[in-house]
Amino acid sequence: VVRGNEATYSGGGIYNKDSGLVMLKGSSSIRGNEATYGGGVHNWGWLTMKGSSSIRANTASDFGGGVFSMGARVGVTCGGNVRHNTPDNCGP
């Protein structure tokens, strides 16, 4: 569980800067995190989720309450296991 973190700019929960792989397995959860971009995850690399993992209840000031992806490949379904994030589940 990645919960209750706050970043001044990006990636309140996880900041995947180096084009690496982030894989959430089982019942992993990213929730209750805050940032300007990517309240849950700011992703430059590959993000994938398996099992009942979720990205929920994260907040961003501008884009990507759940996931903010910088042209990266995102193997998640926004609105599926990425939901209830503010202002949006997946930014540009």
Side-chain angles (χ1 to χ4, degrees):
V1 174
V2 178
R3 178 185 297 169
N5 299 294
E6 186 175 330
T8 53
Y9 186 68
S10 294
I14 294 175
Y15 184 59
N16 181 18
K17 181 180 178 186
D18 297 324
S19 301
L21 168 68
V22 173
M23 180 181 295
L24 302 175
K25 293 181 174 183
S27 60
S28 300
S29 175
I30 299 173
R31 70 172 77 186
N33 302 289
E34 297 180 17
T36 301
Y37 298 97
V41 178
H42 187 163
N43 185 48
W44 292 80
W46 175 254
L47 172 66
T48 187
M49 299 170 68
K50 298 185 183 239
S52 61
S53 55
S54 65
I55 300 174
R56 296 183 188 186
N58 298 287
T59 304
S61 301
D62 287 326
F63 295 107
V67 178
F68 183 73
S69 190
M70 300 297 294
R73 297 178 298 166
V74 179
V76 302
T77 304
C78 295
N81 42 1
V82 181
R83 59 181 173 221
H84 306 299
N85 297 286
T86 305
D88 49 9
N89 289 318
C90 294

